[in-house]
Amino acid sequence: MLIILVGLPGVGKTTFSKNLAKILSKFNIDVIVLGSDLIRESFPVWKEQYEEFIRKSTQLLIDEALKKYWVIVDDTNYYNSMRRDLINLAKKYNKNYAIIYLKAPLDILIKRNIERGEKIPNEVIKKMYEKFDEPGKKYKWDEPFLTIDTTKNFDLEDIAKKLIEKSKKTPKYEEVEKNNNKHNNILDEIDKKTRKIISEYIKSGKIKKDKIKDIVELRKEFLKKLKKLNNIDFDKAIGEFKETINKNIKNENL
Ligand code: ADP
């Protein structure tokens, strides 16, 4: 069984993981809590360039542990692509998975963050809170098994029992790769292609230097809107992108 925690810093993931693991072990379940902080905190300092290694090695640890044990992933798992990678690991070993979404109001997260010495700037937590894509909003496979408000009381024993019940069921995850990968692949292709179009326009002088910033912004907005669609057609999207840019350039030249 793979238990994927999702929640912003300070929501209570580490506390929850440790307590849940203790209760599960009382039910004779061999469970391990893993998360990227284990590796991250093994470096004396933090650098962005370590992050790729941190991500990969955490995945390797989870991969290895899943062969033998229940795994609780104590991480923010902020993007649904992170959740998808984890679910694909469960799939690899034919294991069940459960997303547990921990939530708390922003003021509580900030309060807890300050109490911990504000290692993460409050501003970062605010931004994460605003941008956070709640699990299950876009994809069925991403729906939380449980959503827990950590400002309220919750019964860990009851949660453990529910997880044990779930672990006995046949896992279902067919839709994960099909839908999402196709969608993401097209988005990746469109991302690359639109970058290329802009750089060609700049090289050819079609976009004036002082307008580059606007066009870059336009591309971002375009991709954002596209992401919200269920079905994306590559050619149609690229056509629309060119049209949008051309219109913008023409208006500037009038
Ligand atoms: P995270 O792993 O999500 O960053 P932690 O488990 O480290 O969160 O908890 C952050 C802070 O909030 C800690 O000081 C912890 O003691 C406190 N905390 C955790 N869970 C709760 C809870 N259910 N109610 C109140 N405070 C909590």
Side-chain angles (χ1 to χ4, degrees):
M1 181 79 173
L2 177 67
I3 298 163
I4 302 166
L5 297 190
V6 179
L8 295 176
V11 77
K13 296 180 298 295
T14 302
T15 313
F16 181 88
S17 306
K18 284 185 183 154
N19 293 336
L20 178 63
K22 268 187 211 149
I23 295 208
L24 284 170
S25 73
K26 281 194 192 147
F27 285 101
N28 285 324
I29 286 167
D30 294 309
V31 57
I32 182 170
V33 180
L34 293 172
S36 57
D37 272 350
L38 290 174
I39 310 289
R40 193 173 288 112
E41 285 167 7
S42 302
F43 285 102
V45 291
W46 180 83
K47 289 183 186 169
E48 170 61 37
Q49 74 221 47
Y50 299 157
E51 282 298 317
E52 179 66 9
F53 170 83
I54 292 168
R55 191 186 61 77
K56 276 192 189 157
S57 43
T58 307
Q59 282 252 337
L60 278 176
L61 274 175
I62 297 169
D63 188 302
E64 202 54 34
L66 253 190
K67 293 178 192 168
K68 286 187 168 184
Y69 311 122
W70 277 41
V71 178
I72 301 176
V73 184
D74 172 15
D75 251 322
T76 315
N77 291 314
Y78 185 73
Y79 294 112
N80 61 42
S81 61
M82 297 169 172
R83 275 125 45 194
R84 190 193 57 222
D85 287 349
L86 289 168
I87 294 167
N88 278 327
L89 273 186
K91 191 177 174 186
K92 184 170 159 190
Y93 297 114
N94 201 32
K95 304 280 183 189
N96 244 308
Y97 75 89
I99 292 174
I100 300 185
Y101 173 36
L102 301 183
K103 59 197 263 186
L106 180 61
D107 57 332
I108 299 287
L109 297 179
I110 298 290
K111 188 171 150 263
R112 289 185 191 164
N113 191 48
I114 293 168
E115 280 166 5
R116 281 205 286 197
E118 214 184 319
K119 271 183 256 161
I120 305 171
N122 286 338
E123 269 314 304
V124 172
I125 295 192
K126 269 185 206 160
K127 282 216 176 92
M128 286 176 93
Y129 190 91
E130 281 158 17
K131 281 191 187 169
F132 190 55
D133 239 352
E134 294 205 328
K137 260 202 170 161
K138 279 190 202 155
Y139 311 108
K140 188 131 183 65
W141 57 262
D142 196 29
E143 274 173 12
F145 175 62
L146 295 170
T147 298
I148 294 162
D149 181 339
T150 63
T151 60
K152 304 213 170 98
N153 286 334
F154 47 86
D155 182 349
L156 270 174
E157 193 161 313
D158 182 53
I159 294 171
K161 282 181 186 159
K162 280 186 178 138
L163 288 165
I164 292 169
E165 269 314 299
K166 170 131 180 125
S167 75
K168 291 176 186 160
K169 292 192 179 140
T170 314
K172 275 197 279 181
Y173 20 53
E174 263 71 40
E175 300 156 52
V176 179
E177 271 188 343
K178 268 193 241 153
N179 284 351
N180 194 42
N181 273 358
K182 192 175 158 219
H183 184 80
N184 277 355
N185 287 346
I186 294 180
L187 274 174
D188 281 349
E189 289 308 311
I190 293 173
D191 186 282
K192 275 187 230 153
K193 182 75 185 170
T194 51
R195 273 177 207 274
K196 209 168 164 198
I197 292 171
I198 290 191
S199 77
E200 277 163 9
Y201 271 42
I202 292 172
K203 268 187 226 152
S204 69
K206 272 191 196 168
I207 301 174
K208 303 266 170 355
K209 260 194 185 157
D210 58 338
K211 289 294 158 214
I212 293 177
K213 234 178 154 182
D214 292 348
I215 300 286
V216 167
E217 210 43 51
L218 207 71
R219 192 188 82 94
K220 267 195 213 159
E221 285 303 313
F222 181 82
L223 286 180
K224 236 194 230 171
K225 276 188 200 152
L226 217 56
K227 270 186 196 161
K228 290 186 187 148
L229 301 178
N230 288 328
N231 280 310
I232 306 172
D233 181 279
F234 178 86
D235 293 328
K236 201 171 147 221
I238 295 299
E240 277 172 18
F241 179 70
K242 282 186 182 165
E243 220 173 274
T244 311
I245 290 206
N246 287 339
K247 248 191 230 163
N248 193 285
I249 296 171
K250 256 186 219 153
N251 285 344
E252 292 304 330
N253 291 342
L254 283 177

